[in-house]
Amino acid sequence: VVIHNQTGFLAPEKEVDALVEHLEWLVMNPTGWRKMLDTGRNHIDKNYCAKMQGVKLANSYSELVKPCKKIAS
């Protein structure tokens, strides 16, 4: 869900210094923080809403049954 440096920050597991660095950036860059927040919200709304998930699931099922349709023909 997180796109590093676009919708948020990722830090390696157990690397506290990396986490602190990201938090410091957020505190020192309120405009960048707001942009990242808005970008993240838009990304979630666009890619993870229930309607979009339903479309993706339907497409996946359609792809799965295509080989079966060819065999049945």
Side-chain angles (χ1 to χ4, degrees):
V1 174
V2 175
I3 302 169
H4 185 62
N5 290 331
Q6 292 179 26
T7 63
F9 291 122
L10 297 172
E13 187 176 355
K14 298 182 182 179
E15 294 219 12
V16 175
D17 291 341
L19 183 58
V20 168
E21 183 179 318
H22 295 319
L23 291 171
E24 286 176 343
W25 185 92
L26 292 169
V27 170
M28 300 302 293
N29 296 282
T31 304
W33 183 355
R34 170 50 68 182
K35 182 178 179 191
M36 193 175 284
L37 178 71
D38 293 340
T39 302
R41 181 77 248 170
N42 290 335
H43 176 70
I44 294 299
D45 288 344
K46 183 177 179 182
N47 295 291
Y48 296 97
C49 70
K51 183 177 180 180
M52 179 58 73
Q53 292 302 306
V55 169
K56 288 180 179 181
L57 185 59
N59 289 340
S60 294
Y61 285 139
S62 293
E63 289 299 314
L64 286 172
V65 298
K66 277 184 183 179
C68 296
K69 287 182 180 179
K70 287 181 183 177
I71 294 170
S73 298

